[in-house]
Amino acid sequence: MTRKQIILEASEVFRKDGRTQAPENSIPESMGTSCAVDAPSALSRIRESGLVGMGGAGYPTWKKLARDKGYSVVVANAAECEPLLEQNVARLETDSDRILSGLGIAMQIVGASRGIVAIKAKNTDALETLDASVRRFNDAQQDGTRLSVALLEDRYPVGDARAVVRDVLGSLIGPAAHTSSAGALVLNVETLLRIHEILVEGKPVATKDITVAGIIDGSGYERDTSLVLYDVPIGTTIRQVLRALHITPPRPDAQFLLGGPYMGDPAQLDDPVTGTSGGIMIAGPELQDRGPVGVIVCACGASRDRLAAIVDAQGARLTGTVNCKNVVTLPDGRLKCANPGVCPGQAQAVLSLRKQGATSLLISHCTDCTNTVMQIAPKLGMRVHHATDAYLRAGGERLIRAHREPRPADR
């Protein structure tokens, strides 16, 4: 079976309208700026729908679309930087025209003449479909409105909104700044799909695309570690999803996340899928470590509380906690990265925890920070664990450790 066939067959268990296939890619009239969108009316309908950012942040979409932000470009964020999550890229493979319709509508609402789809270069199947849709979109325009595609590296957290603006537009904005300071509106691709559905198809916001990954034995599909589902009704519990897919009930010591391995929230079987849930992750227990374990908190990774819970699950004693050198604490207490994914050395943090007696480290760092930790910790005889380890092991993915640039042949 092809990827599309697997997605559609698996998703059918949640469909209530009898459809057996996704809408065929075709340019809706609303995609072209020749079909004007009434901004106040569109914003009102989006507000009434309750649509929030489906990339995880959950900020009300209508507020982001407010005209007074001074946007000159709308960026469709298809980076999907969390490992194992695949639903955004899958949607671009099967529904790129409807996503670009939503992008075109967003551009009209905010008065932007430029749209960009930001996607990792490795997603070649999605890029093939996307390129064809972009050509059709541009051919339909008569007012100079244009879309383009920007290729991103396969590094975490390349999908952070500030990282997207930096990598696509060349503007690094401050930790507390809004992307509007660079004239950019950044919207997740599923959010754009739902904008199309609200305004063109008249559908309510009632479902969420998710990836179910990790220990999913019994699903019956060839890919037994990751499965994309379209249109899961919001409110469906993890238990109901697994039962619908005939996935074998997980072992008693299994652990769950709603979201991705980095930023997901620990969950239980009866927790519901929400409008911001990126996926359901299922893993076995954490590897045991006698410790003592020191924790380095990264603004781009798991929270301090989740890291402390992992240490407890490892059966170890937590000896100390320090922040990554790149962390900026905002006045409201939130942690932000000074420059997402471009990080200084972590020697000071590692040495500080070593002096406090740590023999192991638990980190949740981005690709770059993890690389710098690995330059020193093993040389000091310290074991390194990452917050994503259990889920990446369950999903058959390479653990996040030292980063190596791809060879020319791999690019």
Side-chain angles (χ1 to χ4, degrees):
M1 297 177 72
T2 67
R3 176 189 176 98
K4 180 177 180 179
Q5 289 170 331
I6 290 173
I7 292 171
L8 297 179
E9 180 176 313
S11 301
E12 189 64 26
V13 298
F14 295 110
R15 292 191 187 278
K16 297 185 182 301
D17 58 5
R19 287 184 298 164
T20 57
Q21 60 182 10
E24 291 298 322
N25 261 332
S26 60
I27 290 286
E29 288 186 5
S30 61
M31 183 180 286
T33 54
S34 59
C35 180
V37 170
D38 179 70
S41 175
L43 284 172
S44 177
R45 290 174 64 185
I46 293 170
R47 181 176 185 174
E48 291 171 0
S49 75
L51 179 65
V52 299
M54 290 189 152
Y59 190 77
T61 301
W62 74 269
K63 289 186 177 181
K64 294 186 75 171
L65 288 166
R67 277 187 178 274
D68 60 358
K69 298 295 185 182
Y71 300 122
S72 60
V73 59
V74 180
V75 181
N77 186 354
E80 204 153 51
C81 62
E82 283 257 26
L84 293 176
L85 296 187
E86 299 180 321
Q87 70 273 6
N88 285 177
V89 171
R91 273 293 189 183
L92 276 171
E93 293 177 13
T94 62
D95 289 293
S96 57
D97 281 341
R98 294 201 299 157
I99 290 168
L100 295 192
S101 169
L103 176 55
I105 291 169
M107 291 163 62
Q108 291 186 63
I109 291 174
V110 302
S113 61
R114 199 158 61 109
I116 301 173
V117 182
I119 183 172
K120 292 179 181 177
K122 72 173 185 177
N123 295 313
T124 54
D125 289 343
L127 276 168
E128 183 177 355
T129 303
L130 177 60
D131 285 342
S133 289
V134 167
R135 285 194 298 272
R136 289 194 294 271
F137 181 102
N138 289 338
D139 288 345
Q141 307 312 308
Q142 299 177 2
D143 61 354
T145 300
R146 284 292 180 269
L147 298 187
S148 60
V149 176
L151 300 181
L152 303 172
E153 295 183 32
D154 186 20
R155 293 161 67 96
Y156 185 89
V158 73
D160 176 271
R162 291 171 55 229
V164 168
V165 169
R166 179 198 63 209
D167 296 344
V168 172
L169 301 178
S171 298
L172 175 63
I173 60 179
H178 191 275
T179 60
S180 59
S181 63
L185 170 62
V186 181
L187 293 170
N188 168 266
V189 294
E190 186 179 354
T191 307
L192 293 170
L193 173 67
R194 304 307 174 187
I195 288 174
H196 166 86
E197 290 183 339
I198 294 165
L199 298 177
V200 178
E201 301 176 10
K203 292 182 179 179
V205 179
T207 63
K208 181 72 180 71
D209 294 347
I210 63 172
T211 304
V212 182
I215 304 172
I216 59 172
D217 299 336
S219 67
Y221 293 98
E222 294 178 5
R223 296 192 64 188
D224 60 355
T225 58
S226 179
L227 187 62
V228 170
L229 298 179
Y230 288 166
D231 298 319
V232 176
I234 293 171
T236 305
T237 66
I238 294 175
R239 188 188 303 275
Q240 289 170 329
V241 171
L242 301 188
R243 183 181 297 133
L245 295 174
H246 308 292
I247 292 175
T248 304
R251 48 198 281 184
D253 56 1
Q255 52 181 329
F256 304 88
L257 287 178
L258 274 171
Y262 269 96
M263 300 293 286
D265 295 319
Q268 303 297 322
L269 275 169
D270 291 316
D271 286 343
V273 171
T274 71
T276 60
S277 300
I280 295 173
M281 305 286 113
I282 311 168
E286 301 290 340
L287 293 183
Q288 296 297 288
D289 191 309
R290 291 172 298 175
V293 175
V295 165
I296 307 177
V297 179
C298 177
C300 301
S303 68
R304 187 181 299 258
D305 288 345
R306 183 179 156 203
L307 292 169
I310 292 174
V311 173
D312 185 61
Q314 290 177 322
R317 177 172 65 86
L318 176 61
T319 190
T321 302
V322 299
N323 284 344
C324 163
K325 191 175 179 180
N326 223 21
V327 164
V328 175
T329 304
L330 301 184
D332 62 3
R334 289 180 300 149
L335 303 183
K336 288 287 187 176
C337 188
N339 189 358
V342 180
C343 299
Q346 299 298 316
Q348 183 177 351
V350 174
L351 290 172
S352 172
L353 292 170
R354 188 75 177 94
K355 289 179 180 178
Q356 294 178 55
T359 59
S360 299
L361 293 177
L362 173 63
I363 62 177
S364 63
H365 289 331
C366 66
T367 303
D368 202 24
C369 271
T370 302
N371 193 51
T372 59
V373 168
M374 294 303 296
Q375 300 306 309
I376 181 171
K379 295 177 183 178
L380 297 175
M382 303 177 76
R383 295 178 293 275
V384 178
H385 305 277
H386 199 282
T388 63
D389 283 355
Y391 296 93
L392 295 189
R393 287 191 182 97
E397 295 286 329
R398 187 177 66 180
L399 299 185
I400 297 166
R401 292 295 188 271
H403 175 66
R404 296 177 179 84
E405 293 293 340
R407 296 169 297 177
D410 296 332
R411 291 185 186 272

